[in-house]
Amino acid sequence: MTNEPAKELFRRYYVARTLTVPALAQREFGFGFESKIDYRHKAFGSEGEFNDFMRREAPLYASYSTARYSLPAARPMPRKGSLGTDLVFDLDKTYESEHPDSHNAIACERCLSRSRDDALRFLEEFLIADFGFKKSDVAVNFSGNKGFHFHVRTAAVQPLSSLARKQLCDYAGGFEVSGETLLETLGEGKAAVLRSPQPGDGGWRGKFYSSALGIAQNATQESLQENGLTKGKAAKFMEQKAVVVSAIERGKWDYLPWSLDFWRKIADDTVRAHRVELDKPVSFDLARLIRIPGTLHGSSGLVAKPVDDLAKFEPLKDALAFSGRERQAVVCDHDVSFDFGGQTLDVRAGVTVELPLSASLLLYCRGVAKPAG
Ligand SMILES: [Zn+2]
């Protein structure tokens, strides 16, 4: 059954604006009222046609193809004639397990801020630093619920294979790097040589190099023991601190055989701290549909908002569908309490309460409230 109170507010949202979609006439569209995609293989000839559809139907979920096609509505898929596919990444991880006692199922600022931090890291450390995209090539989009999408729409990425896209996700996931590969012993016995990160290295080797150098430069007896070095080896490290720092600065890790296991552990820690878990099929499935930027998300009523300054983005303030002072009276079927738009909202079961429009919409979308009366 369609969520009518939510749909009514979605319609108001779409009536009040005109959405633009890059390469609209070459995209396949999919829409959902009951589920995220009830039907797909739809196409529009113009922005006017698309916006008329959104205002008339007010779908709870609206997605478009990351691929561009010569015949986007054709079926089956091969008849569409692919013209290339945007490179898209989806960061959709849940962080609930990190704070089970304080997680809020209605709207969780802690989850959203963890997600934003990971998104910022993925943008800066991977998309820009390691993959070499220009900041202006990457469109960052709040997903509308709990994560972030990254769209690269340049000509150069359009022909990338499914495998290449998967490899980029695996790289960011750090699946193939560890202490053993970042400080790798090649050969055996006297012929053994250590392949180790060098100054100026990029990628995972560079991330490890920077974190190792920082640990060495700032080392104290306590910090080293906290990182797993024995008391005796930590004391030796402190005695030879200048030598250790200098060896790392010159990439001469084989000067430090007594601490190689320690550095391998630091490398493992670095990988864990920097890896980014992406929803891989969104990237490598070339027939994938993804939330249309600027549309509302049917599970939250929040806007899948394009984000200019990720570091400052706060979804529960910046991605609201309605920002005016209008309120709507709702009744909840159980007690809820959540932070929203900079205030804490408490709603008791069965008690009519007037909430800001976007907060009422959130509760309709979460399925816990109805309009009062
Ligand atoms: Zn949470």
Side-chain angles (χ1 to χ4, degrees):
M1 207 179 68
T2 302
N3 185 337
E4 289 298 338
K7 191 173 159 160
E8 205 38 56
L9 290 178
F10 274 44
R11 179 173 288 119
R12 276 181 60 174
Y13 173 83
Y14 290 121
V15 164
R17 60 198 24 81
T18 298
L19 299 176
T20 57
V21 174
L24 174 134
Q26 296 172 339
R27 306 277 184 191
E28 176 201 352
F29 288 77
F31 300 98
F33 294 92
E34 314 290 330
S35 66
K36 291 204 171 149
I37 296 175
D38 296 337
Y39 61 93
R40 56 186 292 180
H41 306 292
K42 191 155 173 61
F44 297 98
S46 69
E47 262 171 23
E49 208 185 300
F50 167 68
N51 280 283
D52 286 347
F53 175 91
M54 295 301 285
R55 290 166 192 154
R56 189 175 67 244
E57 303 292 333
L60 294 186
Y61 300 93
S63 305
Y64 73 171
S65 58
T66 54
R68 303 164 191 221
Y69 303 105
S70 46
L71 294 171
R75 307 170 71 168
M77 291 306 286
R79 281 200 54 230
K80 292 187 195 298
S82 175
L83 302 169
T85 307
D86 298 344
L87 179 61
V88 170
F89 298 97
D90 178 13
L91 195 79
D92 192 32
K93 197 179 156 190
T94 48
Y95 300 88
E96 188 180 336
S97 60
E98 293 178 4
H99 52 270
D101 298 332
S102 61
H103 178 70
N104 191 311
I106 301 294
C108 189
E109 283 189 327
R110 289 190 71 177
C111 282
L112 287 167
S113 91
R114 286 284 290 109
S115 176
R116 184 197 54 205
D117 293 348
D118 275 356
L120 191 58
R121 221 157 42 71
F122 179 59
L123 176 67
E124 289 177 348
E125 285 191 25
F126 292 94
L127 288 172
I128 294 172
D130 291 356
F131 299 165
F133 293 114
K134 287 193 285 217
K135 201 165 183 201
S136 56
D137 290 339
V138 184
V140 182
N141 225 88
F142 177 51
S143 74
N145 195 21
K146 56 185 184 196
F148 289 87
H149 298 155
F150 304 84
H151 301 249
V152 182
R153 302 189 181 103
T154 56
V157 304
Q158 298 294 323
L160 281 178
S161 67
S162 180
L163 177 63
R165 293 163 198 258
K166 189 166 177 293
Q167 285 170 337
L168 291 175
C169 294
D170 286 344
Y171 175 90
F175 298 121
E176 282 154 23
V177 282
S178 66
E180 292 299 320
T181 65
L182 291 168
L183 286 172
E184 188 177 17
T185 307
L186 301 171
E188 283 177 21
K190 285 192 175 156
V193 289
L194 185 70
R195 204 168 65 106
S196 54
Q198 302 296 307
D201 274 351
W204 278 108
R205 289 160 66 85
K207 294 183 210 311
F208 171 46
Y209 181 88
S210 306
S211 96
L213 190 57
I215 283 177
Q217 286 168 334
N218 301 316
T220 60
Q221 176 79 27
E222 295 74 34
S223 73
L224 294 170
Q225 285 183 240
E226 277 165 23
N227 273 309
L229 215 53
T230 60
K231 194 175 174 186
K233 281 191 174 176
K236 177 171 177 177
F237 191 119
M238 291 311 292
E239 269 168 40
Q240 302 186 7
K241 187 168 163 177
V243 175
V244 175
V245 169
S246 156
I248 294 174
E249 278 174 343
R250 289 176 295 137
K252 302 280 185 194
W253 302 68
D254 42 357
Y255 286 15
L256 311 167
W258 55 273
S259 60
L260 275 185
D261 286 345
F262 167 75
W263 290 117
R264 286 196 172 109
K265 180 199 163 287
I266 296 298
D268 285 335
D269 292 346
T270 304
V271 173
R272 261 194 301 278
H274 287 257
R275 65 188 297 270
V276 176
E277 270 179 71
L278 298 157
D279 185 359
K280 287 198 279 185
V282 175
S283 300
F284 71 69
D285 176 0
L286 301 180
R288 189 81 176 192
L289 303 183
I290 192 163
R291 185 102 22 246
I292 303 170
T295 61
L296 299 182
H297 194 296
S299 307
S300 66
L302 295 172
V303 182
K305 182 122 177 160
V307 179
D308 286 333
D309 189 351
L310 197 48
K312 293 199 180 119
F313 181 69
E314 293 184 55
L316 298 179
K317 284 185 191 150
D318 301 329
L320 306 188
F322 303 97
S323 53
R325 300 167 66 90
E326 190 181 345
R327 297 171 90 84
Q328 192 163 93
V330 304
V331 184
C332 273
D333 50 21
H334 59 266
D335 293 356
V336 295
S337 174
F338 57 103
D339 291 333
F340 194 80
Q343 54 185 321
T344 302
L345 301 174
D346 287 300
V347 187
R348 299 269 147 250
V351 176
T352 297
V353 50
E354 290 203 337
L355 299 179
L357 217 45
S358 288
S360 304
L361 178 57
L362 173 74
L363 297 181
Y364 301 151
C365 288
R366 295 287 196 234
V368 298
K370 291 196 202 54

